[in-house]
Amino acid sequence: QRTVTTLRPFRYNTTSELVNTLVISSFCAFPWLVKRTNLLLETSIKLIGAEATCFYLDKTAGKVFSAGETNEDLQRVLTRLSKQQLGAIIDYCAEGETTEEGLDKNTRAIIDSVKTAAAHKYPAVAVKLTAISNTAVLARLNEVQKAAGSVYRNNMFQNLSKEGLLEFGLSLWEVEQVHRVFERARLIARHCSSLGVDMMIDAEQTFYQYAIDAVVTVLQREFNSNHAVVSNTIQCYLKDSVQKTTDYIEYSNTHNLATGIKLVRGAYLNEEKDLAAFMKYESPIWSSKSMSDHAYDENLKKLLYSYQVGNKLCVATHNEQSVSIAQEAIEQMKIDRKYGGVTFGQLLGMKAMMSESLASSGFATQKYVPYGPVQKLMPYLVRRAAEQSEVVKEIHAQVRQVLDEFKLRSKSVYYSPN
C-alpha cells in the first residue's frame, strides 16, 4: 500500500488533461464567476452558436467531470480508472426524451453501458427513471403513490395487472405507460443480473421520488432475493430519510431480501427549496447542512450495522467524517474491504486524493462517470462546477495536487502516464 505522501491521483492523466483540469479547477475557485455560468453559456450560444458552445464545453469541463460523448471516450476513462484500482458507476445522461422511440433508444444505450461496465472493476450503472419513462406520467404516478402512503405498506404497483392499476384511478394510456416503464427497467435489471453489474437507480426531485421508490421496490422484490442487484438511492438532505431507511431495512428483512442502497446527501437542494417556497408548502429539505450531515451518518450506521452477506451499499460521499465512520463500521462488522458489498463513491473530477487514498487502502472505490451527448450533459456539468465552487479549500487542494504532478514529471524527461 502507498502512503499518503506517495499518492499520485493524476499519475495516469495526460499532460493536456492535467492542463485542462488546472484551468477548470481555477475557474471553479471563483464562485461569483461560476454563478454566472448559465449567463456565460447563453451569451456564447448567441455569439458562436449552440454547436460551437457545446464543442468547447465538451473539450473543457466535459473532460474533467464526464467521460465524453462516445463509448470510445468512456472506455478510455474506464481504462485509466482501472489502472488506479478504481471502479465506475456509469451514468448515460439522457433525461428529457419524450417519444417512445427516444426512451427505447435510451434503454439500449444504458444496456450498452452495462456491457461496458462488466469488463471493469466494481461495475455499476446509474439509471434515472426519467430517462426511460414519460416524465408527465411519472409525475402523475408520483401524486397517486404519495396519496396512497408508504411504498412499503401500500405500493400502487403491487398488482401490475390492468385491473389493479385502474383501481388507482389511472387511465388506460397511463396503465400502458406503466407497463412500458417496467419492461425497460426489467430489461436493464436482467442484463445487470446476468453480467454481475450493480443497477443503482438514481434519486430525483420529490415530484418524481414517490413513484421512483414504488418502481424500485417492485424491482428489488424480483431481483434481490439472493444478493442485491437493484439499489435505490436515499437522499439524506430530505427530512424523511432516516425513517425511510428504517422502513426499508424492516421491509427487506420481512421479505428476506438483500438490501441495496446508494446513500447520498442530495443533488437538487436549491430546486427543492425554491419549489417549496413558490408552492407555499413546507420544504422537504433539512434547514442546515449540519442536519443533513447528521442524517447521512445516522443512515450510514443503520445500514452498516445491520449488514448481512449479499447486501450492497454505496457510500457516496465527499465528507471525510462520513468516510471515517464507514471505515470503522466495515472493520467492526468484518466486511471484506474489496468484495464485501460496500463501496465508496466520489464524482469524477472531484476528490481525486480521497478516491486514491481509499483504493490504496484496499477499499472498493468507484467514480461516478457520466457520459453522453454534450447537450444532455450540460446541466450536469454546470451543477458540478457549482458544487466545486462551494468548496474553495478543496479546489485549492486539487490545484496543488495537479501542480505537484507537473513537478514530479518535470524530473523525468521520458515520463509517460501509460
Side-chain angles (χ1 to χ4, degrees), residues 357-378:
S357 179
L358 283 165
S360 70
S361 297
F363 291 99
T365 308
Q366 301 163 305
K367 301 298 283 189
Y368 189 90
V369 182
Y371 85 106
V374 70
Q375 297 92 331
K376 299 290 180 68
L377 278 170
M378 197 177 296

Side-chain angles (χ1 to χ4, degrees), residues 10-83:
F10 298 101
R11 69 166 58 200
Y12 295 111
N13 291 74
T14 64
T15 301
S16 62
E17 288 171 341
L18 286 177
V19 170
N20 188 49
T21 299
L22 192 60
V23 170
I24 296 301
S25 296
S26 300
F27 172 84
C28 292
F30 297 95
W32 63 270
L33 191 58
V34 175
K35 288 178 181 178
R36 291 165 174 77
T37 300
N38 284 322
L39 177 61
L40 293 172
L41 289 173
E42 290 170 5
T43 303
S44 175
I45 290 171
K46 289 178 182 178
L47 292 175
I48 64 175
E51 187 174 339
T53 298
C54 287
F55 174 83
Y56 287 113
L57 186 66
D58 177 49
K59 299 301 180 186
T60 53
K63 295 300 182 188
V64 175
F65 300 122
S66 79
E69 294 194 82
T70 68
N71 197 57
E72 291 73 21
D73 294 333
L74 177 63
Q75 287 282 11
R76 186 169 58 252
V77 171
L78 295 182
T79 299
R80 188 184 78 216
L81 293 177
S82 292
K83 292 177 181 177

Side-chain angles (χ1 to χ4, degrees), residues 224-235:
N224 287 12
S225 57
N226 296 315
H227 63 276
V229 173
V230 179
S231 292
N232 200 1
T233 301
I234 292 181
Q235 300 184 103

Side-chain angles (χ1 to χ4, degrees), residues 196-258:
V197 176
D198 293 337
M199 179 180 179
M200 300 179 180
I201 298 184
D202 273 340
E204 303 192 51
Q205 297 94 329
T206 50
F207 47 80
Y208 296 133
Q209 195 57 49
Y210 288 94
I212 293 170
D213 289 340
V215 173
V216 176
T217 302
V218 173
L219 294 175
Q220 290 183 320
R221 283 285 295 269
E222 295 176 3
F223 290 93
N224 287 12
S225 57
N226 296 315
H227 63 276
V229 173
V230 179
S231 292
N232 200 1
T233 301
I234 292 181
Q235 300 184 103
C236 296
Y237 69 0
L238 294 175
K239 295 174 183 176
D240 66 354
S241 68
V242 175
Q243 187 61 52
K244 181 176 178 179
T245 301
T246 302
D247 291 345
Y248 172 64
I249 293 171
E250 181 181 336
Y251 173 86
S252 298
N253 290 339
T254 299
H255 295 280
N256 296 314
L257 300 173

